[in-house]
Amino acid sequence: MAASGSNRINLPEITLSFALRHWESEVLLVTGGRPPAIGWLREVAIGRTLWCADHGVDICRMADIRPVHLIGDADSADANTWQWAEAQGAVSEKFSPEKDFTDTELALQKMSDESPVPFVFITGAFGGRLDHAFSTLYSLVGSNLSGILADEKELLLILRNGDTIDGKMNKIPLALSLLPLSAQCVGVNLTGTRWPLQNASLNQDCPNAVSNRLVSTDGHFSLSLKEGCLALYVCWQAPLS
């Protein structure tokens, strides 16, 4: 559950604490990719403001959780489900399908105008179409919002200049990878893994920090970044889609 003035990300599989970054509110954005497990979604929704991008509203109805905000062109959402959410009091913003932005990008633009600016949890981002996953990831990077893409199988956390995190795995992952989202990431430090890093430089055109393994017996690890934009990727289950 989120707390006011938090610097901690709590998910069933992992806890992540930022040393220097804080936020006052958290938004869970459900999008239309691979649906998360219903039990996982219900747990993660506790204490967070729930938004849906288009087909994400169908996922929320299956989990019997009610969004407060709907956004998108409604071309993939069930019309009855969209009306159900509106009848429950959700604020609805519809756009023409002939638009320049994805539904998720529209949601992120809207969140960037919120005060205070929230930390964003995006689920339903994995699986399905690669172009949509790519767009979601880089839309989040370009928004300058603090955020994470996650479900019960995979997680991708964005770190920016100067970020330091301490992590505690509640479930041992299959793999932990670092993916440069900028041309170069400088001053990367990683502990608690089979292959630690100290003041390393990672280049986008040579992504050689993938498929690391956690070795700490208590599930703890740490990661810091001096300059650049870096993704921490964790996989708990081999995705089928």
Side-chain angles (χ1 to χ4, degrees), residues 5-241:
S6 179
N7 71 332
R8 180 173 296 180
I9 298 165
N10 291 306
L11 291 172
E13 299 79 14
I14 192 171
T15 300
L16 297 164
S17 300
F18 280 83
L20 302 176
R21 193 182 297 271
H22 293 78
W23 51 90
E24 296 298 322
S25 62
E26 297 182 357
V27 169
L28 174 61
L29 173 62
V30 184
T31 64
R34 182 181 68 217
I38 287 177
W40 185 92
L41 179 58
R42 287 172 176 166
E43 182 174 350
V44 172
I46 296 172
R48 297 183 172 112
T49 302
L50 184 61
W51 288 47
C52 291
D54 208 332
H55 177 55
V57 70
D58 299 312
I59 299 170
C60 288
R61 190 174 191 182
M62 286 189 293
D64 195 27
I65 54 176
R66 301 172 182 178
V68 301
H69 207 114
L70 305 177
I71 193 165
D73 52 31
D75 64 343
S76 59
D78 181 85
N80 291 329
T81 302
W82 193 282
Q83 292 171 6
W84 163 83
E86 290 177 327
Q88 302 298 322
V91 175
S92 171
E93 291 188 73
K94 281 190 177 181
F95 295 81
S96 168
E98 304 296 326
K99 61 186 188 305
D100 293 329
F101 304 104
T102 66
D103 297 324
T104 299
E105 191 170 3
L106 290 171
L108 294 173
Q109 290 173 358
K110 188 79 175 177
M111 290 176 196
S112 296
D113 295 332
E114 293 279 297
S115 182
V117 176
F119 187 98
V120 183
F121 294 75
I122 303 178
T123 194
F126 298 114
R129 287 174 49 174
L130 176 60
D131 57 344
H132 278 253
F134 184 94
S135 174
T136 296
L137 170 58
Y138 279 97
S139 293
L140 181 57
V141 171
S143 72
N144 286 320
L145 291 163
S146 296
I148 191 169
L149 282 58
D151 61 17
E152 75 280 4
K153 296 180 181 180
E154 300 174 88
L155 171 151
L156 192 150
L157 171 70
I158 294 174
L159 290 86
R160 304 180 192 273
N161 295 342
D163 275 339
T164 296
I165 61 167
D166 288 314
K168 169 66 168 64
M169 296 286 185
N170 303 318
K171 180 180 179 182
I172 300 303
L174 294 178
L176 182 154
S177 300
L178 302 180
L179 306 174
L181 299 177
S182 55
Q184 187 175 56
C185 294
V186 177
V188 179
N189 297 283
L190 176 66
T191 66
T193 58
R194 171 66 178 82
W195 295 280
L197 296 174
Q198 183 174 3
N199 199 31
S201 293
L202 302 179
N203 297 315
Q204 195 174 56
D205 58 0
C206 185
N208 59 353
V210 300
S211 295
N212 211 331
R213 299 197 301 269
L214 197 71
V215 295
S216 59
T217 57
D218 59 1
H220 280 93
F221 70 98
S222 66
L223 174 63
S224 64
L225 168 69
K226 183 178 180 182
E227 295 178 8
C229 186
L230 180 69
L232 166 67
Y233 173 83
V234 183
C235 178
W236 285 278
Q237 301 178 38
L240 297 178
S241 60

